[in-house]
Amino acid sequence: MAKVEANKHIDVLTKAELKDFSGFIGNFSSVVGEEGGAEHTVDHGVVVLATGGHEHRPEGYQLEENSKVLTQTELEKRLAGKAKNRAPKSIVMIQCAGSRGDDLKYCSKVCCNHAVKNALTIKELNPASQVIVLYRDMRTYGYAEDAYREARLKGVIFIPYELDRKPVVSEEGKKLQVTFFDSLLQEEVEMTPELVALSVGIVPDGTEDLSKLLKAPLTDDRFFLEAHVKLRPVELPVSGVYVCGLAHGPKPVDETIAQAQAAAAKAAIPLVKGAVSIDPIVSVVEQEKCIGCGICASL
Ligand code: SF4
């Protein structure tokens, strides 16, 4: 970040938001508002959207009510600290908390890897710790499969749960209780772990407002929709606007970096060429058929 800020060809505006946007590829104009109220008009040739995302906070798992219920990111921070008791004696991890059917319909792709990574760190810090992962599917694809195998070998217990019998987190006195149906034992199991870690999904940041300003479409899940999933995966249907990272969909860091490089390379093409051919298709109003509904103006 310091290297970027030190570059005299790059202006960095933090805590800023896009207030207005107009123009076309090669000739865009954006009004950017800063936190203190100052506004800048920036003329630019292309746009790369990399607006990121944040953790979803599902309801119904005591996440906001009980300090012993954490998200995987919060657990990771705790494990990276210096406290002696940072690795719990027992922990239950619940996969797909609020995802794949509840609040979010999609799979966020990273939370299974995150859970396995944290489980391995706990086992490294405290090999006697009891780590139980309640899952619907373990989606540790690619090289992450090795970490999943390692976790099993080190004693992490993976127990599947069914969609219609999700684990329930409750408070019993001062203790945290997790109740779930073990489909292998065919019975209800109650546990009182020291901590509960939720594998929550990812939601995009600010895409709805940006989509209105840029007139760029979103998916049902509020991520930016690429122009073509195979042929133009980092371009939006609006010419000159490119997308990468969590603004486009949940993905791990390595995929995000690859997509960011692709978006930067694509965005550089019109800039390096120095000229663009404008799409020859231009819409016109047929006065005799127009009823003045105004729908075309909002598109
Ligand atoms: S990555 Fe794993 S925990 Fe996350 S939504 Fe997908 S299946 Fe569920």
Side-chain angles (χ1 to χ4, degrees):
M1 191 65 190
K3 208 170 160 188
V4 171
E5 283 174 343
N7 190 313
K8 64 180 181 353
H9 298 299
I10 304 174
D11 287 332
V12 180
L13 297 177
T14 54
K15 296 183 183 164
E17 73 177 301
L18 188 65
K19 297 275 187 191
D20 199 11
F21 177 82
S22 58
F24 48 87
I25 182 169
N27 189 23
F28 289 120
S29 180
S30 296
V31 178
V32 183
E34 287 195 89
E35 202 176 35
E39 289 194 351
H40 305 267
T41 301
V42 185
D43 295 327
H44 51 103
V46 292
V47 180
V48 178
L49 294 169
T51 45
H54 59 273
E55 275 189 332
H56 174 57
R57 312 263 319 167
E59 289 181 2
Y61 291 92
Q62 304 278 330
L63 181 57
E64 308 299 348
E65 294 83 9
N66 194 315
S67 60
K68 290 178 186 164
V69 182
L70 312 170
T71 64
Q72 292 289 357
T73 308
E74 289 166 346
L75 175 64
E76 187 178 25
K77 281 188 193 148
R78 176 187 158 126
L79 295 174
K82 295 225 166 17
K84 272 192 179 161
N85 62 348
R86 61 189 188 278
K89 289 191 188 76
S90 61
I91 183 166
V92 173
M93 298 184 178
I94 302 176
Q95 302 303 103
C96 303
S99 295
R100 297 179 62 209
D102 291 348
D103 321 355
L104 313 177
K105 292 190 200 77
Y106 50 90
C107 165
S108 288
K109 285 178 79 176
V110 297
C111 13
C112 281
N113 294 355
H114 210 169
V116 169
K117 182 183 158 204
N118 283 342
L120 282 171
T121 309
I122 292 171
K123 281 288 182 187
E124 200 178 303
L125 294 169
N126 179 6
S129 174
Q130 184 185 50
V131 184
I132 294 182
V133 181
L134 303 178
Y135 70 96
R136 280 176 57 195
D137 306 283
M138 282 310 291
R139 295 188 169 175
T140 46
Y141 59 95
Y143 293 118
E145 192 70 16
D146 293 340
Y148 169 66
R149 281 167 195 267
E150 188 186 341
R152 291 186 73 119
L153 287 173
K154 288 193 169 161
V156 177
I157 299 166
F158 292 85
I159 302 175
Y161 71 84
E162 289 164 14
L163 185 56
D164 52 354
R165 296 177 108 159
K166 290 184 189 146
V168 176
V169 183
S170 56
E171 273 180 326
E172 292 301 318
K174 286 189 177 171
K175 290 195 171 162
L176 198 55
Q177 181 167 296
V178 180
T179 312
F180 60 94
F181 180 77
D182 188 324
S183 52
L184 301 177
L185 297 176
Q186 283 294 309
E187 62 184 46
E188 234 12 70
V189 177
E190 282 178 5
M191 298 198 63
T192 50
E194 190 182 324
L195 288 182
V196 168
L198 302 178
S199 292
V200 297
I202 295 172
V203 285
D205 279 338
T207 49
E208 279 172 327
D209 290 343
L210 272 176
S211 124
K212 284 179 199 147
L213 278 172
L214 273 63
K215 297 189 170 51
L218 297 178
T219 63
D220 287 349
D221 302 317
R222 296 182 290 126
F223 294 100
F224 281 107
L225 179 68
E226 71 282 309
H228 189 289
V229 69
K230 286 187 179 167
L231 302 178
R232 295 169 64 196
V234 295
E235 293 171 68
L236 295 191
V238 183
S239 189
V241 183
Y242 307 89
V243 67
C244 59
L246 301 182
H248 171 254
K251 54 184 71 70
V253 173
D254 52 350
E255 289 177 32
T256 299
I257 292 171
Q259 197 185 24
Q261 288 169 334
K266 267 282 178 191
I269 293 173
L271 300 181
V272 171
K273 273 188 180 169
V276 289
S277 315
I278 302 289
D279 202 333
I281 302 167
V282 179
S283 54
V284 288
V285 177
E286 290 184 41
Q287 293 295 351
E288 59 283 3
K289 291 184 184 166
C290 174
I291 56 168
C293 66
I295 291 175
C296 62
S298 64
L299 294 176

